[in-house]
Amino acid sequence: PIAGKIILKATLARLSRALALALRSGVPVALGTDGNITNDNLALHEAMRLAAILGRSSEPDRTRWVSARQALGMAPKAAKAS
């Protein structure tokens, strides 16, 4: 369990940095959910919420946090336009 938490924390930190870099670089980012076999719900709003809060623990500069507007912009509708 402790090793699992460390791996999960490291994975989330890498994902957070990758998301922030993609957004700062102007790379279109689209969110989605995986299939219901590996996930207990398919709520896209939860994926947007996670994207918005993911980097907050590792990024002290609040101006670099993903905003709610950015997270909403990652919804599939925005991905079609890119």
Side-chain angles (χ1 to χ4, degrees):
I2 292 174
K5 288 179 185 178
I6 292 169
I7 291 170
L8 178 61
K9 194 171 186 177
T11 301
L12 290 176
R14 281 194 306 272
L15 181 59
S16 171
R17 284 191 299 273
L19 177 61
L21 178 61
L23 290 172
R24 281 196 304 272
S25 301
V27 175
V29 176
L31 297 175
T33 62
D34 54 2
N36 60 356
I37 290 177
T38 58
N39 196 348
D40 60 350
N41 77 44
L42 302 174
L44 186 59
H45 69 276
E46 288 191 19
M48 289 186 286
R49 179 181 164 274
L50 181 61
I53 66 170
L54 193 60
R56 292 182 181 192
S57 64
S58 61
E59 177 55 70
D61 183 0
R62 300 182 98 192
T63 64
R64 298 180 79 173
W65 289 0
V66 174
S67 68
R69 185 174 307 249
Q70 286 175 304
L72 285 170
M74 293 179 216
K77 178 180 157 190
K80 286 183 182 179
S82 330

